[in-house]
Amino acid sequence: MRDFHLICTNCNKTYEKETRNFKCEVCNEPLELKEVKNGAITQRNILGQSLLERYKEFYPFLDVEKAGSLGGEGFTPLVFSEELSKYYGISQLYFKNESQNPTWSFKDRGTITGILRAKDLGYTKVGTVSTGNMATSVAAYGSMANMETYILVKDGIADEKLKPIAIYGPNLIKVDGDYSKLYEESLRIGNENEIYFINSDVPFRVEGYKTIAFEICEQLNFNIPDYVIVPTSAGGDIRGIEKGFREFKNSGLIDKIPKMIAVQAAGCSPIYNAFKENKENIDRVKEPNTIAHAIENPFPPSGNQVLRMLKRNGGIVVTVSDEEIIKAQKKMASIGIFGQPASATSLAAVKKLVSNNYLKENDSVVCIVTASGLKYTAALEEHKLDVIETKLENLNKIIQKKVGIKPTFFYELLFFFD
Ligand SMILES: [Zn+2]
């Protein structure tokens, strides 16, 4: 383990590595690990290497050799779609399919770095506040790491979401009350009870998301895309990805950083609202309402930092409606990728940005597909999905009709008497 420290993303106050703060004592904004300036990829047979072993030089706070991998996170496919590139009229459209992680979402990348940090600090208990992807991820990794795990969820959460968390055997607690206060409250309770809460934007979780950028660079042979579009809720994911590109550039591995595009659902878009009005701070969204529940955070803890990051990066924020999200979910499925509604916002953003001429024909774009569509099957009710029903004896006739073969007289006769 090498030396490292943390810096406030807003006022630059420095914190020593022993700090247990996630936020700045002065301005209450998120802390960040100091940028790595000269890392290198650990080249070895990738089949025998864990994610963190490959990029260990970018993780000065981890004793990676000792830790290894818990569950095979990362190394997800970057899928190029010629068909959808043509359809949307841009040069190259890629999908970084994060549904291929152990618990089917990008969260696993941040959960492993968070859990390893918790262990290093001597914690035996971890926790998180979440209603979906992060809860499942922390429950699974907590169990793998043999740590006592506390998952706090909002009262009223659907069984469909609750049971996939419960299967890993955490202390799963439904909390009745103001959910937006639960984030701060969990940090306080965590301090008091020695539980390391790996919430959405804690610095050591954000660090894990850098690997999405690292992999994109390697998968594109270091030809950096023009844009990376990230469904954005709390803000940890897009912050981590941008930092990953920054650290590869510092290290001379790439020569530019893509423009980052944060996409939010129109029914809950606090970062977009502030961006549009050129404000430095986000305001709480009063009544969030979108089908993209995984990015429905009315007051994202890293919202202000995402605004500062985008200003420096030259990126933008866009919103997409539920109708656009549903259409994009179907479109993405047409190339075999089934993302949850929140994941489809990135493709919905492509359509919007092409139509308003922000994205142009020579551009290369990576859409981050944050999590699997199987996580939220209730959303499928929004689609008109066809199922043909038939009796076994009529099956061939139905299929012949589909493939365009004219049925024989004999079959016609059978149907007639059916
Ligand atoms: Zn500060």
Side-chain angles (χ1 to χ4, degrees), residues 67-81:
S69 162
L70 278 176
E73 51 293 322
F75 297 142
T76 61
L78 183 70
V79 181
F80 170 65
S81 173

Side-chain angles (χ1 to χ4, degrees), residues 8 11 24 26-27:
C8 171
C11 73
C24 179
V26 181
C27 67

Side-chain angles (χ1 to χ4, degrees), residues 214-234:
F214 298 161
E215 289 174 21
I216 291 172
C217 291
E218 290 211 72
Q219 286 166 317
L220 293 178
N221 240 333
F222 302 94
N223 296 312
I224 301 313
D226 298 301
Y227 300 96
V228 176
I229 308 183
V230 189
T232 299
S233 183

Side-chain angles (χ1 to χ4, degrees), residues 131 133 160-161 231 264-269 287-297 320-330 338-345 348 370 372-373 375-384:
T131 54
N133 295 326
E160 184 194 22
K161 291 187 174 179
Q264 299 208 287
C268 183
S269 56
E287 283 167 2
N289 180 22
T290 171
I291 191 165
H293 296 304
I295 53 168
E296 194 179 33
N297 188 326
V320 289
S321 69
D322 280 11
E323 199 187 335
E324 290 167 321
I325 293 169
I326 291 300
K327 280 185 184 157
Q329 188 183 32
K330 186 86 198 300
F338 180 29
Q340 64 177 188
S343 301
T345 58
T370 40
S372 164
K375 295 252 184 170
Y376 184 37
T377 51
L380 298 175
E381 297 299 323
E382 302 295 320
H383 294 275
K384 288 188 189 72

Side-chain angles (χ1 to χ4, degrees), residues 8-13 15 24-29 31:
C8 171
T9 52
N10 181 44
C11 73
N12 291 328
K13 182 177 160 61
Y15 290 79
C24 179
E25 289 164 355
V26 181
C27 67
N28 203 34
E29 284 292 297
L31 303 185

Side-chain angles (χ1 to χ4, degrees), residues 36 58-59 206-214 240-241 243-244 247:
V36 172
F58 297 88
Y59 291 93
V206 172
E207 284 295 299
Y209 303 146
K210 297 191 302 192
T211 54
I212 296 178
F214 298 161
I241 296 172
K243 187 167 186 263
E247 293 187 352

